[in-house]
Every structure is written in C-alpha cells, then in structure tokens.
Amino acid sequence: MLHLLVDTSTWLDLSKRRDGQRWIVALRLLVHQQHVELLVPDLVIEEFERNRERIEAAMTASVAQRFKLIKQDLEDYGGADTAQAVEVIADLARDVPLIGAMTTRNFDEVLELLRKARRLEPTDAEHGGVVERGLSKRAPLHRARNSVADALLLELYATATRASDLLRNPHAFVTSNSADFSVSDGDKRHPHPDVAGVFAVDGSRYALGVDGLNDVLLSHFGSEIEDLFAETEFVEEPRRLGEIVDAERAFFDRIWHHRSLQHEYRLRAAGDEQELARLQAIAGPARERVEGTYTEPGELGPYTDYELGMLNGKLSALRWVLGSEWDFLDT
C-alpha cells in the first residue's frame, strides 16, 4: 500500500485545477480499493477549510475581471466591427456565477477525502522535534516566518515512516511549499538538506506539487494508474446561461402549445363560439411560430401523461435554476 501525506498547499492547488478530477477520482478509487492510504493531520483539514472560501472567491473574481478587461479592450480598441464579440464576452460574463459554483466541486470532494483519511495525532515527540528544529533554525524553520505547522507536518511524516516497513509500504510527502521544504538554490523537486534525511531511505519520497503527486502515482502503479486516469479524465462543463434560457423557452413553448390546444378543445366541446374565436385570434400567431419552430415528430405531441409530466418537471427545474420557486409552471 502506498501511504501519502499531502500538504494543504498541494490539496488547494489540486482543488483549483480544472482537471483536478483526474487525481481526485483516482485517489478516491485507490483509497477504496486499499491501494492508497492518505495520512492527514488535523491541521491540514483546518488549513484547507480556512483557505477554501478565500480561494474560491478569488477564482471567481479572477474570471470576472478577465472578462471585464477583454470587453473593455474590445470597446476601446476594437473598432466598429467588434459589436458581436463584445456581446459574446458580455454573455460569458453572465455565466461567471455558474463557473464559480462549479469550483466548489473539487473542494467538496477533496474535503471528503481528507475527513475519511487516517488521522495523524502529534505526540510530545513530534512537538519536541519541532522545538529542536526551531532552536537550530533547520528547515522548514530556517526562514524569518512562522512555519511551525510545516515543521509539525514533517515530524509527523518522519514518525510514520519510522514505524513502517517502507519496502512493503512506501511513503511519500507531497507539498507545493518549495520555499520551506525544497533546496534553496537548484532543482526545487529536491528536498532541503535539513530535511533530506527523512527521504534518504528507500521507500520514502519527496514530491513537489500536483506534478510530483502525479509522478509518485505513476512510479508506484505504472500502467494501472494510466488506465485509471484515462477512464476518469473528463472535464464536466457547466451549462452556460444562454443554454439554460433557451431550454426553458423551448419547454415553455411546447407546454403552452399543448395547453392552448386543450383550451380550444374544451371550448369546442362546450359550443362557446365567441370565446373560441377570441382564443384563435390571440393564440393563432403564437401557435404558427411554435409550430414552425418545433418540427420534429412528437415535439408538439400528442403527449402521454408520462411525457407531459416530464416536460413540466424539466420546465420547473430550469425555472428554479433561473431564480423561480419550485413548481412554478405558469404559461
């Protein structure tokens, strides 16, 4: 079994990536199959939850700002033939709330992984190791900043490796914090000399960032993880606002057309010629538009009760997404 202690910095980097599901899904499956064990100190979960809201907000704000700047540049320098491009950018900008909402998916799933993982509880020995590092100014306490939490992570990892048969149960420490853990000058993928001893034995590995995590998984699982990546490598795009509005309008038209015909049938059955003439005068042009738009067989009925229920359910769901209350089905 591969044992991984992944620093908060790498979990946050992974959560921010559009292709983050590639590793999140793979790790979830490997943990479930007991091929991987995640080692998670409480402080990793605490730091992840503390930084999550800030990063999610920054991601959404960053997207919105890019759209705003592009739109402004088009208006200022694009000339008279950029009106359509400006409208496209404005339409995309309206989708920012949906894009922002999709960012929460990776964060939610990473947090679920962390909460279900094996917890590492610090003892007096680990706290003592942190104090010794601080007194001797050894990495990650070699800089003029508070890196006590980072030092505690390292001590917890070192204890975990000493208690394991690393040939049967290899371990890896994964961090994106190269400033505290990597060599000061040179290839940042290598650990700082002050911490290198923890990784000097076979079966204990230092890895930098999401790319380092990827390398650890590839070297341990080989073709198996490549096949798993291929099976789970997808990016689920959110529906754009324009698509949702168009779909809502289509279901509205089809349901309205059905109700209009049903109203006409009832008026005919009742023999109310005056009201029938009034209905045809009002609804006739709209029916012509709908009938000219939805020309595929069955698009305008006749519907079974099941099909009619599905149409109404989809209209209700789309309207809810657009801000209406549930079950608002007026046409």
Side-chain angles (χ1 to χ4, degrees):
M1 179 184 287
L2 174 64
H3 301 260
L4 299 173
L5 196 162
V6 182
D7 191 2
T8 313
S9 56
T10 302
W11 285 123
L12 290 170
D13 287 346
L14 181 58
S15 299
K16 289 186 290 185
R17 291 181 62 139
R18 285 176 55 81
D19 59 348
Q21 286 287 303
R22 167 187 172 94
W23 294 278
I24 295 170
V25 174
L27 284 172
R28 185 165 59 239
L29 290 174
L30 291 169
V31 169
H32 176 72
Q33 296 166 356
Q34 297 185 344
H35 296 316
V36 166
E37 181 180 57
L38 298 177
L39 308 177
V40 180
D42 285 338
L43 65 92
V44 168
I45 298 177
E46 292 166 3
E47 287 181 345
F48 186 85
E49 291 180 318
R50 186 168 61 248
N51 287 279
R52 170 183 177 165
E53 184 175 349
R54 172 183 58 82
I55 292 176
E56 287 180 339
M59 290 170 66
T60 303
S62 175
V63 173
Q65 184 64 19
R66 286 200 296 272
F67 282 137
K68 181 179 180 181
L69 292 174
I70 293 171
K71 181 175 179 289
Q72 190 63 52
D73 286 345
L74 286 171
E75 291 174 342
D76 291 345
Y77 310 113
D81 58 346
T82 59
Q84 184 178 0
V86 170
E87 179 57 31
V88 170
I89 294 298
D91 183 49
L92 288 171
R94 287 192 289 271
D95 293 328
V96 168
L98 292 175
I99 296 170
M102 286 298 289
T103 65
T104 64
R105 177 179 181 178
N106 284 354
F107 284 91
D108 288 340
E109 295 188 8
V110 165
L111 189 56
E112 183 180 5
L113 277 173
L114 297 179
R115 287 173 173 167
K116 291 181 177 180
R118 174 187 160 196
R119 298 296 179 89
L120 296 185
E121 301 290 343
T123 66
D124 290 343
E126 285 79 48
H127 288 300
V130 171
V131 172
E132 290 180 9
R133 284 187 177 275
L135 292 173
S136 59
K137 297 189 181 301
R138 290 183 293 136
L141 296 171
H142 60 303
R143 302 193 301 144
R145 63 185 299 271
N146 183 2
S147 298
V148 170
D150 298 314
L152 186 57
L153 284 183
L154 183 68
E155 294 298 329
L156 286 167
Y157 175 79
T159 297
T161 58
R162 287 193 295 268
S164 297
D165 179 350
L166 295 178
L167 295 180
R168 297 183 58 188
N169 294 294
H171 284 55
F173 180 86
V174 186
T175 182
S176 299
N177 185 2
S178 59
D180 283 339
F181 290 110
S182 296
V183 293
S184 300
D185 298 307
D187 190 341
K188 298 298 182 183
R189 293 173 297 178
H190 297 303
H192 191 281
D194 291 348
V195 305
V198 179
F199 308 102
V201 294
D202 290 340
S204 178
R205 181 170 176 179
Y206 178 79
L208 186 64
V210 177
D211 290 340
L213 173 63
N214 189 68
D215 290 342
V216 169
L217 294 173
L218 285 173
S219 64
H220 184 81
F221 294 104
S223 60
E224 179 184 346
I225 194 68
E226 291 179 339
D227 293 341
L228 186 55
F229 283 155
E231 293 172 5
T232 60
E233 189 168 6
F234 63 92
V235 177
E236 192 173 67
E237 297 286 351
R239 299 289 183 190
R240 292 179 53 194
L241 181 61
E243 292 180 84
I244 296 171
V245 171
D246 288 345
E248 189 272 343
R249 184 181 299 115
F251 287 117
F252 173 93
D253 286 346
R254 294 170 65 189
I255 292 171
W256 172 86
H257 184 268
H258 171 80
R259 292 176 178 176
S260 176
L261 289 179
Q262 292 297 308
H263 189 193
E264 180 173 320
Y265 297 153
R266 287 192 294 270
L267 292 175
R268 287 187 185 279
D272 191 342
E273 297 297 330
Q274 182 178 354
E275 187 62 24
L276 178 61
R278 178 175 174 275
L279 172 65
Q280 290 174 337
I282 296 173
R287 280 189 198 164
E288 289 182 7
R289 177 188 64 81
V290 171
E291 290 165 0
T293 302
Y294 306 96
T295 58
E296 294 297 321
E299 273 194 298
L300 295 179
Y303 305 119
T304 65
D305 289 344
Y306 174 81
E307 290 170 333
L308 194 58
M310 288 293 292
L311 289 175
N312 280 278
K314 291 176 180 178
L315 178 62
S316 174
L318 290 168
R319 283 183 165 177
W320 182 82
V321 169
L322 293 170
S324 298
E325 296 299 322
W326 279 116
D327 304 322
F328 176 63
L329 293 169
D330 290 358
T331 57

